[in-house]
Amino acid sequence: MICPNCSCPTKEEMHFCLNCGAAVSTIAEIECGNHSGAAAVGACVVCGMPVCGDCAVTKEKKLFCNDSTHAVFLDHHALLGVSDSEFEADIIVSNLKANGILPLVYSPKGFFDFKSEKADSAVRVFVVKDDRARAITILTELGLEDFIHLETIQHL
Ligand SMILES: [Zn+2]
Ligand SMILES: [Zn+2]
Ligand SMILES: [Zn+2]
């Protein structure tokens, strides 16, 4: 699926674009992570929290939650990949740390119904922008390149 807001390819089963946070599915009836009963208009591209119109912060066409540190997070960090499996994410993190790269991990699992919104609740791993190319090389050498959200990375 191509996001109508930023034209980035997004996983078919996701309700929110990984790149810009816009809702890509019109059938989404997901609540804001701060206000129960308020429909989410998108999800923070850092922590993945669904946000309503009152909570959403827009910066450079990307959606963020009302945690002010998230809107500036992507100035220095980039998404490396997402995984449905926390176990796999732990393996990725351990291997990066062993190579001197310190990833930052966000898990939006608590905001979603685990069965129906599995793709949206996937664990996100970010690295400092300058480390991204090296992180991709490390994971590729380990045969873990499936984890890398290549379509998104190529688009960015
Ligand atoms: Zn998008
Ligand atoms: Zn956030
Ligand atoms: Zn809200």
PDB file of all heavy atoms in Angstrom, residues 111-139:
ATOM      1  N   PHE A 111      -0.818   0.146  23.102  1.00  0.00           N
ATOM      2  CA  PHE A 111      -1.869   1.012  22.547  1.00  0.00           C
ATOM      3  C   PHE A 111      -2.822   0.264  21.631  1.00  0.00           C
ATOM      4  O   PHE A 111      -3.820   0.812  21.194  1.00  0.00           O
ATOM      5  CB  PHE A 111      -1.250   2.164  21.747  1.00  0.00           C
ATOM      6  CG  PHE A 111      -0.337   3.025  22.550  1.00  0.00           C
ATOM      7  CD1 PHE A 111       0.992   3.178  22.200  1.00  0.00           C
ATOM      8  CD2 PHE A 111      -0.804   3.694  23.681  1.00  0.00           C
ATOM      9  CE1 PHE A 111       1.839   3.973  22.941  1.00  0.00           C
ATOM     10  CE2 PHE A 111       0.031   4.499  24.429  1.00  0.00           C
ATOM     11  CZ  PHE A 111       1.360   4.641  24.059  1.00  0.00           C
ATOM     12  N   PHE A 112      -2.471  -0.984  21.280  1.00  0.00           N
ATOM     13  CA  PHE A 112      -3.243  -1.671  20.258  1.00  0.00           C
ATOM     14  C   PHE A 112      -3.796  -3.000  20.758  1.00  0.00           C
ATOM     15  O   PHE A 112      -3.207  -3.644  21.631  1.00  0.00           O
ATOM     16  CB  PHE A 112      -2.371  -1.938  19.026  1.00  0.00           C
ATOM     17  CG  PHE A 112      -1.964  -0.689  18.307  1.00  0.00           C
ATOM     18  CD1 PHE A 112      -0.725  -0.113  18.541  1.00  0.00           C
ATOM     19  CD2 PHE A 112      -2.832  -0.064  17.426  1.00  0.00           C
ATOM     20  CE1 PHE A 112      -0.348   1.052  17.888  1.00  0.00           C
ATOM     21  CE2 PHE A 112      -2.465   1.093  16.772  1.00  0.00           C
ATOM     22  CZ  PHE A 112      -1.223   1.654  17.004  1.00  0.00           C
ATOM     23  N   ASP A 113      -4.890  -3.370  20.171  1.00  0.00           N
ATOM     24  CA  ASP A 113      -5.430  -4.709  20.361  1.00  0.00           C
ATOM     25  C   ASP A 113      -4.439  -5.652  19.678  1.00  0.00           C
ATOM     26  O   ASP A 113      -4.213  -5.576  18.473  1.00  0.00           O
ATOM     27  CB  ASP A 113      -6.806  -4.785  19.691  1.00  0.00           C
ATOM     28  CG  ASP A 113      -7.377  -6.196  19.720  1.00  0.00           C
ATOM     29  OD1 ASP A 113      -6.604  -7.166  19.768  1.00  0.00           O
ATOM     30  OD2 ASP A 113      -8.607  -6.311  19.687  1.00  0.00           O
ATOM     31  N   PHE A 114      -3.819  -6.500  20.463  1.00  0.00           N
ATOM     32  CA  PHE A 114      -2.664  -7.237  19.960  1.00  0.00           C
ATOM     33  C   PHE A 114      -2.997  -8.137  18.768  1.00  0.00           C
ATOM     34  O   PHE A 114      -2.179  -8.321  17.883  1.00  0.00           O
ATOM     35  CB  PHE A 114      -2.035  -8.061  21.086  1.00  0.00           C
ATOM     36  CG  PHE A 114      -0.657  -8.545  20.737  1.00  0.00           C
ATOM     37  CD1 PHE A 114       0.309  -7.648  20.303  1.00  0.00           C
ATOM     38  CD2 PHE A 114      -0.332  -9.880  20.821  1.00  0.00           C
ATOM     39  CE1 PHE A 114       1.587  -8.071  19.968  1.00  0.00           C
ATOM     40  CE2 PHE A 114       0.944 -10.316  20.480  1.00  0.00           C
ATOM     41  CZ  PHE A 114       1.894  -9.407  20.056  1.00  0.00           C
ATOM     42  N   LYS A 115      -4.198  -8.678  18.756  1.00  0.00           N
ATOM     43  CA  LYS A 115      -4.544  -9.601  17.667  1.00  0.00           C
ATOM     44  C   LYS A 115      -4.863  -8.868  16.367  1.00  0.00           C
ATOM     45  O   LYS A 115      -4.379  -9.208  15.303  1.00  0.00           O
ATOM     46  CB  LYS A 115      -5.729 -10.484  18.067  1.00  0.00           C
ATOM     47  CG  LYS A 115      -5.286 -11.748  18.781  1.00  0.00           C
ATOM     48  CD  LYS A 115      -6.457 -12.468  19.406  1.00  0.00           C
ATOM     49  CE  LYS A 115      -6.592 -12.030  20.846  1.00  0.00           C
ATOM     50  NZ  LYS A 115      -7.834 -12.268  21.495  1.00  0.00           N
ATOM     51  N   SER A 116      -5.675  -7.806  16.454  1.00  0.00           N
ATOM     52  CA  SER A 116      -6.143  -7.185  15.213  1.00  0.00           C
ATOM     53  C   SER A 116      -5.181  -6.139  14.652  1.00  0.00           C
ATOM     54  O   SER A 116      -5.204  -5.853  13.478  1.00  0.00           O
ATOM     55  CB  SER A 116      -7.516  -6.561  15.428  1.00  0.00           C
ATOM     56  OG  SER A 116      -7.455  -5.592  16.430  1.00  0.00           O
ATOM     57  N   GLU A 117      -4.322  -5.578  15.502  1.00  0.00           N
ATOM     58  CA  GLU A 117      -3.426  -4.542  14.991  1.00  0.00           C
ATOM     59  C   GLU A 117      -1.977  -4.905  15.222  1.00  0.00           C
ATOM     60  O   GLU A 117      -1.168  -4.107  15.661  1.00  0.00           O
ATOM     61  CB  GLU A 117      -3.750  -3.195  15.632  1.00  0.00           C
ATOM     62  CG  GLU A 117      -4.960  -2.530  15.046  1.00  0.00           C
ATOM     63  CD  GLU A 117      -6.165  -2.658  15.961  1.00  0.00           C
ATOM     64  OE1 GLU A 117      -5.979  -2.739  17.171  1.00  0.00           O
ATOM     65  OE2 GLU A 117      -7.290  -2.693  15.442  1.00  0.00           O
ATOM     66  N   LYS A 118      -1.647  -6.137  14.884  1.00  0.00           N
ATOM     67  CA  LYS A 118      -0.307  -6.641  15.134  1.00  0.00           C
ATOM     68  C   LYS A 118       0.756  -5.811  14.410  1.00  0.00           C
ATOM     69  O   LYS A 118       1.798  -5.497  14.979  1.00  0.00           O
ATOM     70  CB  LYS A 118      -0.236  -8.104  14.691  1.00  0.00           C
ATOM     71  CG  LYS A 118       0.898  -8.846  15.343  1.00  0.00           C
ATOM     72  CD  LYS A 118       0.844 -10.320  15.008  1.00  0.00           C
ATOM     73  CE  LYS A 118       2.074 -10.985  15.588  1.00  0.00           C
ATOM     74  NZ  LYS A 118       2.381 -12.244  14.989  1.00  0.00           N
ATOM     75  N   ALA A 119       0.490  -5.462  13.170  1.00  0.00           N
ATOM     76  CA  ALA A 119       1.501  -4.729  12.407  1.00  0.00           C
ATOM     77  C   ALA A 119       1.737  -3.345  12.995  1.00  0.00           C
ATOM     78  O   ALA A 119       2.870  -2.879  13.075  1.00  0.00           O
ATOM     79  CB  ALA A 119       1.073  -4.614  10.951  1.00  0.00           C
ATOM     80  N   ASP A 120       0.672  -2.689  13.441  1.00  0.00           N
ATOM     81  CA  ASP A 120       0.823  -1.355  14.017  1.00  0.00           C
ATOM     82  C   ASP A 120       1.561  -1.398  15.349  1.00  0.00           C
ATOM     83  O   ASP A 120       2.155  -0.418  15.758  1.00  0.00           O
ATOM     84  CB  ASP A 120      -0.548  -0.714  14.223  1.00  0.00           C
ATOM     85  CG  ASP A 120      -1.194  -0.330  12.900  1.00  0.00           C
ATOM     86  OD1 ASP A 120      -0.664   0.568  12.239  1.00  0.00           O
ATOM     87  OD2 ASP A 120      -2.203  -0.943  12.536  1.00  0.00           O
ATOM     88  N   SER A 121       1.471  -2.532  16.052  1.00  0.00           N
ATOM     89  CA  SER A 121       2.090  -2.613  17.374  1.00  0.00           C
ATOM     90  C   SER A 121       3.521  -3.131  17.310  1.00  0.00           C
ATOM     91  O   SER A 121       4.138  -3.383  18.334  1.00  0.00           O
ATOM     92  CB  SER A 121       1.241  -3.493  18.289  1.00  0.00           C
ATOM     93  OG  SER A 121       1.218  -4.822  17.807  1.00  0.00           O
ATOM     94  N   ALA A 122       4.066  -3.305  16.106  1.00  0.00           N
ATOM     95  CA  ALA A 122       5.428  -3.820  15.961  1.00  0.00           C
ATOM     96  C   ALA A 122       6.449  -2.925  16.668  1.00  0.00           C
ATOM     97  O   ALA A 122       6.306  -1.709  16.699  1.00  0.00           O
ATOM     98  CB  ALA A 122       5.782  -3.932  14.482  1.00  0.00           C
ATOM     99  N   VAL A 123       7.469  -3.559  17.227  1.00  0.00           N
ATOM    100  CA  VAL A 123       8.543  -2.846  17.917  1.00  0.00           C
ATOM    101  C   VAL A 123       9.362  -2.063  16.894  1.00  0.00           C
ATOM    102  O   VAL A 123       9.706  -2.571  15.839  1.00  0.00           O
ATOM    103  CB  VAL A 123       9.465  -3.861  18.640  1.00  0.00           C
ATOM    104  CG1 VAL A 123      10.571  -3.140  19.404  1.00  0.00           C
ATOM    105  CG2 VAL A 123       8.648  -4.753  19.565  1.00  0.00           C
ATOM    106  N   ARG A 124       9.674  -0.800  17.193  1.00  0.00           N
ATOM    107  CA  ARG A 124      10.444   0.055  16.283  1.00  0.00           C
ATOM    108  C   ARG A 124      11.852   0.248  16.840  1.00  0.00           C
ATOM    109  O   ARG A 124      12.010   0.578  18.010  1.00  0.00           O
ATOM    110  CB  ARG A 124       9.781   1.435  16.181  1.00  0.00           C
ATOM    111  CG  ARG A 124       8.384   1.375  15.608  1.00  0.00           C
ATOM    112  CD  ARG A 124       7.506   2.464  16.206  1.00  0.00           C
ATOM    113  NE  ARG A 124       6.160   2.321  15.640  1.00  0.00           N
ATOM    114  CZ  ARG A 124       5.574   3.256  14.897  1.00  0.00           C
ATOM    115  NH1 ARG A 124       6.178   4.395  14.682  1.00  0.00           N
ATOM    116  NH2 ARG A 124       4.374   3.053  14.401  1.00  0.00           N
ATOM    117  N   VAL A 125      12.820   0.076  15.987  1.00  0.00           N
ATOM    118  CA  VAL A 125      14.213   0.277  16.405  1.00  0.00           C
ATOM    119  C   VAL A 125      14.793   1.448  15.615  1.00  0.00           C
ATOM    120  O   VAL A 125      14.757   1.461  14.383  1.00  0.00           O
ATOM    121  CB  VAL A 125      15.058  -0.997  16.179  1.00  0.00           C
ATOM    122  CG1 VAL A 125      16.504  -0.754  16.583  1.00  0.00           C
ATOM    123  CG2 VAL A 125      14.474  -2.179  16.960  1.00  0.00           C
ATOM    124  N   PHE A 126      15.287   2.438  16.354  1.00  0.00           N
ATOM    125  CA  PHE A 126      15.890   3.632  15.746  1.00  0.00           C
ATOM    126  C   PHE A 126      17.385   3.665  16.059  1.00  0.00           C
ATOM    127  O   PHE A 126      17.813   3.176  17.108  1.00  0.00           O
ATOM    128  CB  PHE A 126      15.263   4.909  16.324  1.00  0.00           C
ATOM    129  CG  PHE A 126      13.814   5.102  15.974  1.00  0.00           C
ATOM    130  CD1 PHE A 126      12.809   4.513  16.742  1.00  0.00           C
ATOM    131  CD2 PHE A 126      13.440   5.886  14.890  1.00  0.00           C
ATOM    132  CE1 PHE A 126      11.464   4.701  16.432  1.00  0.00           C
ATOM    133  CE2 PHE A 126      12.103   6.085  14.579  1.00  0.00           C
ATOM    134  CZ  PHE A 126      11.109   5.482  15.344  1.00  0.00           C
ATOM    135  N   VAL A 127      18.143   4.244  15.151  1.00  0.00           N
ATOM    136  CA  VAL A 127      19.562   4.491  15.422  1.00  0.00           C
ATOM    137  C   VAL A 127      19.866   5.946  15.050  1.00  0.00           C
ATOM    138  O   VAL A 127      19.111   6.582  14.302  1.00  0.00           O
ATOM    139  CB  VAL A 127      20.497   3.553  14.619  1.00  0.00           C
ATOM    140  CG1 VAL A 127      20.388   2.115  15.120  1.00  0.00           C
ATOM    141  CG2 VAL A 127      20.209   3.624  13.125  1.00  0.00           C
ATOM    142  N   VAL A 128      20.982   6.435  15.570  1.00  0.00           N
ATOM    143  CA  VAL A 128      21.441   7.768  15.180  1.00  0.00           C
ATOM    144  C   VAL A 128      21.682   7.742  13.672  1.00  0.00           C
ATOM    145  O   VAL A 128      22.180   6.752  13.129  1.00  0.00           O
ATOM    146  CB  VAL A 128      22.737   8.120  15.958  1.00  0.00           C
ATOM    147  CG1 VAL A 128      23.359   9.416  15.449  1.00  0.00           C
ATOM    148  CG2 VAL A 128      22.433   8.222  17.448  1.00  0.00           C
ATOM    149  N   LYS A 129      21.313   8.824  12.987  1.00  0.00           N
ATOM    150  CA  LYS A 129      21.386   8.849  11.517  1.00  0.00           C
ATOM    151  C   LYS A 129      22.752   8.423  10.987  1.00  0.00           C
ATOM    152  O   LYS A 129      22.850   7.685  10.017  1.00  0.00           O
ATOM    153  CB  LYS A 129      21.053  10.250  10.998  1.00  0.00           C
ATOM    154  CG  LYS A 129      19.559  10.508  10.934  1.00  0.00           C
ATOM    155  CD  LYS A 129      19.264  11.904  10.407  1.00  0.00           C
ATOM    156  CE  LYS A 129      17.749  12.111  10.325  1.00  0.00           C
ATOM    157  NZ  LYS A 129      17.424  13.497   9.970  1.00  0.00           N
ATOM    158  N   ASP A 130      23.812   8.903  11.634  1.00  0.00           N
ATOM    159  CA  ASP A 130      25.162   8.597  11.154  1.00  0.00           C
ATOM    160  C   ASP A 130      25.501   7.109  11.281  1.00  0.00           C
ATOM    161  O   ASP A 130      26.424   6.634  10.630  1.00  0.00           O
ATOM    162  CB  ASP A 130      26.209   9.414  11.932  1.00  0.00           C
ATOM    163  CG  ASP A 130      26.150  10.885  11.563  1.00  0.00           C
ATOM    164  OD1 ASP A 130      25.508  11.214  10.546  1.00  0.00           O
ATOM    165  OD2 ASP A 130      26.734  11.698  12.286  1.00  0.00           O
ATOM    166  N   ASP A 131      24.769   6.386  12.132  1.00  0.00           N
ATOM    167  CA  ASP A 131      25.051   4.955  12.335  1.00  0.00           C
ATOM    168  C   ASP A 131      24.220   4.056  11.423  1.00  0.00           C
ATOM    169  O   ASP A 131      24.429   2.845  11.385  1.00  0.00           O
ATOM    170  CB  ASP A 131      24.727   4.547  13.790  1.00  0.00           C
ATOM    171  CG  ASP A 131      25.777   5.039  14.766  1.00  0.00           C
ATOM    172  OD1 ASP A 131      26.907   5.314  14.329  1.00  0.00           O
ATOM    173  OD2 ASP A 131      25.452   5.136  15.971  1.00  0.00           O
ATOM    174  N   ARG A 132      23.279   4.636  10.687  1.00  0.00           N
ATOM    175  CA  ARG A 132      22.313   3.783   9.987  1.00  0.00           C
ATOM    176  C   ARG A 132      22.962   2.904   8.920  1.00  0.00           C
ATOM    177  O   ARG A 132      22.673   1.709   8.840  1.00  0.00           O
ATOM    178  CB  ARG A 132      21.185   4.609   9.385  1.00  0.00           C
ATOM    179  CG  ARG A 132      20.124   3.709   8.751  1.00  0.00           C
ATOM    180  CD  ARG A 132      18.856   4.439   8.473  1.00  0.00           C
ATOM    181  NE  ARG A 132      19.036   5.431   7.426  1.00  0.00           N
ATOM    182  CZ  ARG A 132      18.055   6.177   6.927  1.00  0.00           C
ATOM    183  NH1 ARG A 132      16.835   6.030   7.400  1.00  0.00           N
ATOM    184  NH2 ARG A 132      18.275   7.040   5.981  1.00  0.00           N
ATOM    185  N   ALA A 133      23.842   3.489   8.119  1.00  0.00           N
ATOM    186  CA  ALA A 133      24.463   2.704   7.048  1.00  0.00           C
ATOM    187  C   ALA A 133      25.261   1.535   7.637  1.00  0.00           C
ATOM    188  O   ALA A 133      25.185   0.410   7.154  1.00  0.00           O
ATOM    189  CB  ALA A 133      25.363   3.604   6.202  1.00  0.00           C
ATOM    190  N   ARG A 134      25.999   1.806   8.715  1.00  0.00           N
ATOM    191  CA  ARG A 134      26.796   0.756   9.335  1.00  0.00           C
ATOM    192  C   ARG A 134      25.890  -0.314   9.968  1.00  0.00           C
ATOM    193  O   ARG A 134      26.164  -1.509   9.894  1.00  0.00           O
ATOM    194  CB  ARG A 134      27.732   1.356  10.393  1.00  0.00           C
ATOM    195  CG  ARG A 134      28.914   0.456  10.740  1.00  0.00           C
ATOM    196  CD  ARG A 134      30.054   1.254  11.364  1.00  0.00           C
ATOM    197  NE  ARG A 134      29.708   1.849  12.649  1.00  0.00           N
ATOM    198  CZ  ARG A 134      29.793   1.190  13.812  1.00  0.00           C
ATOM    199  NH1 ARG A 134      30.196  -0.059  13.852  1.00  0.00           N
ATOM    200  NH2 ARG A 134      29.460   1.786  14.937  1.00  0.00           N
ATOM    201  N   ALA A 135      24.782   0.132  10.576  1.00  0.00           N
ATOM    202  CA  ALA A 135      23.838  -0.826  11.184  1.00  0.00           C
ATOM    203  C   ALA A 135      23.254  -1.757  10.123  1.00  0.00           C
ATOM    204  O   ALA A 135      23.110  -2.960  10.355  1.00  0.00           O
ATOM    205  CB  ALA A 135      22.723  -0.058  11.899  1.00  0.00           C
ATOM    206  N   ILE A 136      22.953  -1.205   8.966  1.00  0.00           N
ATOM    207  CA  ILE A 136      22.397  -2.024   7.881  1.00  0.00           C
ATOM    208  C   ILE A 136      23.434  -3.053   7.429  1.00  0.00           C
ATOM    209  O   ILE A 136      23.111  -4.232   7.217  1.00  0.00           O
ATOM    210  CB  ILE A 136      21.937  -1.123   6.708  1.00  0.00           C
ATOM    211  CG1 ILE A 136      20.705  -0.319   7.138  1.00  0.00           C
ATOM    212  CG2 ILE A 136      21.619  -1.968   5.460  1.00  0.00           C
ATOM    213  CD1 ILE A 136      20.284   0.754   6.155  1.00  0.00           C
ATOM    214  N   THR A 137      24.692  -2.634   7.312  1.00  0.00           N
ATOM    215  CA  THR A 137      25.762  -3.561   6.931  1.00  0.00           C
ATOM    216  C   THR A 137      25.898  -4.693   7.953  1.00  0.00           C
ATOM    217  O   THR A 137      25.982  -5.875   7.587  1.00  0.00           O
ATOM    218  CB  THR A 137      27.108  -2.802   6.820  1.00  0.00           C
ATOM    219  OG1 THR A 137      26.925  -1.724   5.915  1.00  0.00           O
ATOM    220  CG2 THR A 137      28.216  -3.706   6.322  1.00  0.00           C
ATOM    221  N   ILE A 138      25.879  -4.337   9.232  1.00  0.00           N
ATOM    222  CA  ILE A 138      26.027  -5.344  10.294  1.00  0.00           C
ATOM    223  C   ILE A 138      24.894  -6.366  10.224  1.00  0.00           C
ATOM    224  O   ILE A 138      25.120  -7.576  10.244  1.00  0.00           O
ATOM    225  CB  ILE A 138      26.044  -4.656  11.689  1.00  0.00           C
ATOM    226  CG1 ILE A 138      27.327  -3.827  11.852  1.00  0.00           C
ATOM    227  CG2 ILE A 138      25.918  -5.687  12.808  1.00  0.00           C
ATOM    228  CD1 ILE A 138      27.266  -2.814  12.991  1.00  0.00           C
ATOM    229  N   LEU A 139      23.661  -5.879  10.106  1.00  0.00           N
ATOM    230  CA  LEU A 139      22.516  -6.794  10.088  1.00  0.00           C
ATOM    231  C   LEU A 139      22.515  -7.650   8.828  1.00  0.00           C
ATOM    232  O   LEU A 139      22.135  -8.819   8.855  1.00  0.00           O
ATOM    233  CB  LEU A 139      21.203  -6.016  10.214  1.00  0.00           C
ATOM    234  CG  LEU A 139      21.015  -5.262  11.533  1.00  0.00           C
ATOM    235  CD1 LEU A 139      19.639  -4.621  11.570  1.00  0.00           C
ATOM    236  CD2 LEU A 139      21.193  -6.178  12.734  1.00  0.00           C
TER     237      LEU A 139
END
